[in-house]
Amino acid sequence: SAVISQKPSRDICQRGTSLTIQCQVDSQVTMMFWYRQQPGQSLTLIATANQGSEATYESGFVIDKFPISRPNLTFSTLTVSNMSPEDSSIYLCSVAQGRGEQYFGPGTRLTVT
Amino acid sequence: GDSVTQMEGPVTLSEEAFLTINCTYTATGYPSLFWYVQYPGEGLQLLLKATKADDKGSNKGFEATYRKETTSFHLEKGSVQVSDSAVYFCALTSPGGSQGNLIFGKGTKLSVKP
């Protein structure tokens, strides 16, 4: 399985600022995903990021709030823009491998004050 | 739409007890089914999977069987350890949804006491 790292592992940010989260994979992958896990909740897919094309966002998530870059087959970033306390969550990236399974990074724990 | 329902927690067991976490699903077609585990402070790890009816996924003493007739994928372990304390998520890959999109249940928190 792919080994996935994320930076930063955690951060505390002020309301109104932006944070960019990096996701690095140790092998080339076609599909990468970004999820949000709000406190005590399950995972919600934010968007699918394919190299060389615009990210595909799920209902309730927009590019202005969560811009995503995918410059190559091993790297992606997610920016959380103009943050509010409601954005406090764990953000996870994942990659698709095999028959539908996904492998996840360790997550970025974001607290917005 | 496609969905996953799993038993609500928290579940508290003594060490060496038998574990069952129920999971049922709704999907058109034939989804692949997964159990993920999230240890405290960590990301999700794939625990086991099954891709077709009657398949049994197994790993680290955990098992789950893909039951199409009951649309279920219950997680079991014969003897739990303190180190199994974690949140367990049942998930499916929707055959009719976005490519690669995993649909998760709400998670079941397991606490194992010595």
Side-chain angles (χ1 to χ4, degrees), chain A residues 34-106:
Chain A
W34 287 98
Y35 288 84
R36 181 175 73 182
Q37 185 180 22
Q38 294 177 302
Q41 302 297 313
S42 187
L43 280 75
T44 302
L45 181 66
I46 297 171
T48 302
N50 292 331
Q51 193 267 338
S53 64
E54 293 280 336
T56 302
Y57 289 83
E58 298 298 307
S59 176
F61 298 96
V62 295
I63 188 171
D64 289 347
K65 176 67 175 177
F66 297 102
I68 288 171
S69 77
R70 182 82 200 273
N72 57 52
L73 291 172
T74 64
F75 187 78
S76 179
T77 67
L78 169 76
T79 299
V80 186
S81 303
N82 188 24
M83 288 184 284
S84 68
E86 292 71 35
D87 294 320
S88 297
S89 295
I90 300 173
Y91 292 85
L92 300 108
C93 67
S94 72
V95 302
Q97 290 192 324
R99 283 191 66 174
E101 66 227 57
Q102 293 181 22
Y103 293 91
F104 287 81

Side-chain angles (χ1 to χ4, degrees), chain B residues 29-51:
Chain B
Y30 300 91
S32 294
L33 301 173
F34 308 90
W35 278 100
Y36 283 85
V37 59
Q38 186 174 35
Y39 297 103
E42 299 184 13
L44 270 72
Q45 300 177 24
L46 178 63
L47 181 60
L48 53 84
K49 66 177 182 179
T51 57

Side-chain angles (χ1 to χ4, degrees), chain B residues 64-93:
Chain B
T65 300
Y66 189 146
R67 301 286 188 199
K68 189 175 187 303
E69 64 277 12
T70 55
T71 61
S72 65
F73 193 55
H74 305 322
L75 182 68
E76 296 181 336
K77 186 174 185 181
S79 176
V80 294
Q81 305 300 312
V82 172
S83 57
D84 294 325
S85 298
V87 180
Y88 293 81
F89 292 93
C90 185
L92 65 81
T93 296

